[in-house]
Amino acid sequence: MLLNKCNIFLCTNARTSGLISSSIKLLSTAVPNSQSKPSGETKLYASVCVERMPVITCDMNDLENRYSNLINEINVRRSLLSNHELRHLRDIERAKKKKDKQDDQELVIETAVDYEDKQLKQFKSFEFANRKTSAEFDKANVEKENKKLLLQNIDYILDKKLILLVSEPNSSVWQLPKVELASEDLSLRKTAERAVQGLSEKFEVDYMGNAPVGVFKSKKESLIEKQYFFKAQYKSGAQHLASSKFDFVWIRKDELKDFIKNKDYLACLNNFILDF
Amino acid sequence: MIAKTVSKLNKKSSIPVFQSCCLRTSSLASNEPVANKSQKIKLTELLNQESQAKKDVKMDYVNNAEIKFYDPPYLVREAPFPNYELLNINLKGYDYSVLNTYYKYIEKLCNLLKIEVIEAYAMPSRSFKIKTYQPFSTNLDKEYNLQMYHRIVRVKNLKSTLAPLLFETVQLNLPEGVQLDIHEPTFEEDEFRYVPDIELQEMRQKLSEMTRKPGDSKSNKK
């Protein structure tokens, strides 16, 4: 099967070059020659980049805050009077007329100021949920061993995207969960699904598309490894991830470089992992 | 098709085929001239078959004639990568200005990524009247008139390896109050854009009644 793949690849290249040269190229791999060495085994892997999307929108920068405040000020000063403000002006006129006329007609009308006070009171009584979990405060102060436990908690940062990294127990090599392509898999996507189900059965994930998003090729002596990356969004079941077979961490994209030492792998990941 | 030619060449002894292509022939080839010639013909036949299979016969059903393309046979018209043919990116929101600017941003983004944007249009908005009542009574407390605005960006031939990245950028950059929905376009959605033609509908109803009549009369007789 692999030889056929090589042939197909060569055919597509050769078409543009010319007929005769194409036939020669075809035959260079088709003719079985006992003296030629094998070009090397290629192993195909499918790995999945499981991400937990941000739960809340992230806070604005210092610069963004100042700019948005400035723009709001400008808009308010430039705008025409709203209904509420017109109502306020009318109330003031009415109060003046009352003073001058000194009539006994006392109509109980809700003034604009009263209305505003009532609404503000309702606003203050509303309790907003916490934007930062308590775990985030601890992160800066905690020691190294406890830090790992902290990173395994999926809710420790709410406003940024978190990526799942997995490592073999007692090894310092962190990578995305990956699994080798088996003969029973009909497509690479099925292999990717197997990779995630291998972590835990109850770990639910939504795949974004059927095609891989990136490729990483590594060569060790004569062994060529190709990893195809699929993208998936975490749906539910993070509490079932703890197991003795592997070690896992949920980290942000800027912390990726602390965990992944291989520069080429990191460069490849940076291509398709987006973070704003 | 390419795989077929390759497998055919692999099955037969490939050396004589090679020699038939070359001008010089060795002693081996001279021993079997007939076999070489037959294999020579087969190679060219194979190549012809390839070019013939590529000519898709497309019919123009309005004029009932073949749409003839005069491109040379080695030009492949199909996209070399699997892609999503048509996709609708739906944006819905109650806040008009935010929705509008975000929809323009997506259009610019698609143009930057060289994704074919066929249409970027607005769907008619749906208005909602929301009434809140005072507790334990039917007296009106507050009344709101809201409008749900709807924008659609239609994208054609989105490369399937680029698709997850596009979905993610759109999702991550969603402003507050905007709902995102990506799916293939449906007929009902398209029909909702147009104002229904009352006269046409009446005529159609009359026509269906007229065609139904002989059937009805038969059932009455029975």
Side-chain angles (χ1 to χ4, degrees), chain A residues 6-23:
Chain A
C6 298
N7 287 343
I8 293 166
F9 170 76
L10 287 168
C11 277
T12 47
N13 265 6
R15 237 139 122 261
T16 48
S17 50
L19 272 176
I20 296 173
S21 55
S22 71
S23 56

Side-chain angles (χ1 to χ4, degrees), chain B:
Chain B
M1 273 312 295
I2 306 158
K4 278 186 193 170
T5 53
V6 170
S7 54
K8 277 182 189 169
L9 287 168
N10 280 341
K11 280 177 194 167
K12 300 167 195 165
S13 53
S14 39
I15 299 167
V17 179
F18 171 64
Q19 287 167 336
S20 65
C21 286
C22 288
L23 292 171
R24 290 180 228 148
T25 54
S26 64
S27 55
L28 269 173
S30 58
N31 287 337
E32 313 162 306
V34 181
N36 273 351
K37 272 187 189 171
S38 61
Q39 281 170 346
K40 218 186 201 171
I41 295 165
K42 278 185 183 171
L43 181 70
T44 48
E45 255 185 39
L46 287 171
L47 291 168
N48 277 340
Q49 271 175 21
E50 241 188 79
S51 57
Q52 271 172 16
K54 281 208 188 96
K55 281 186 197 167
D56 299 327
V57 175
K58 286 198 177 175
M59 294 287 288
D60 181 10
Y61 292 106
V62 175
N63 299 323
N64 203 20
E66 214 182 274
I67 299 177
K68 292 186 180 174
F69 289 97
Y70 295 103
D71 292 340
Y74 54 79
L75 271 187
V76 181
R77 255 176 278 114
E78 294 157 6
F81 44 77
N83 53 16
Y84 290 101
E85 282 251 351
L86 279 178
L87 272 186
N88 265 6
I89 303 174
N90 282 347
L91 296 169
K92 289 191 193 178
Y94 292 103
D95 195 351
Y96 179 76
S97 49
V98 173
L99 179 71
N100 214 27
T101 42
Y102 191 56
Y103 141 86
K104 280 186 197 168
Y105 164 75
I106 289 185
E107 227 191 299
K108 284 184 200 168
L109 178 80
C110 288
N111 285 330
L112 260 180
L113 294 172
K114 293 181 187 166
I115 299 171
E116 241 183 276
V117 172
I118 313 174
E119 285 179 302
Y121 55 88
M123 291 274 274
S125 62
R126 296 181 206 234
S127 44
F128 294 89
K129 211 177 197 181
I130 302 167
K131 299 180 184 177
T132 51
Y133 295 99
Q134 285 167 7
F136 303 109
S137 71
T138 48
N139 293 338
L140 202 66
D141 187 16
K142 281 169 203 157
E143 197 181 313
Y144 305 98
N145 279 323
L146 294 175
Q147 279 193 310
M148 174 78 105
Y149 302 99
H150 196 173
R151 295 281 181 279
I152 294 186
V153 179
R154 193 174 276 194
V155 159
K156 186 182 174 184
N157 284 343
L158 178 65
K159 200 170 174 179
S160 58
T161 49
L162 186 64
L165 295 179
L166 177 72
F167 300 155
E168 228 190 284
T169 24
V170 173
Q171 197 183 5
L172 281 177
N173 281 319
L174 266 185
E176 296 99 324
V178 178
Q179 299 165 20
L180 173 70
D181 189 12
I182 304 183
H183 56 244
E184 301 201 340
T186 58
F187 181 69
E188 288 89 24
E189 220 183 50
D190 278 342
E191 281 294 296
F192 186 69
R193 291 170 76 183
Y194 305 109
V195 179
D197 195 353
I198 301 174
E199 278 182 22
L200 188 69
Q201 273 181 0
E202 276 179 22
M203 304 272 262
R204 279 202 181 134
Q205 247 192 354
K206 275 187 191 172
L207 187 72
S208 62
E209 277 171 28
M210 276 158 56
T211 49
R212 224 184 291 154
K213 264 185 184 171
D216 279 341
S217 57
K218 272 188 192 170
S219 62
N220 281 339
K221 277 181 186 173
K222 283 179 184 172

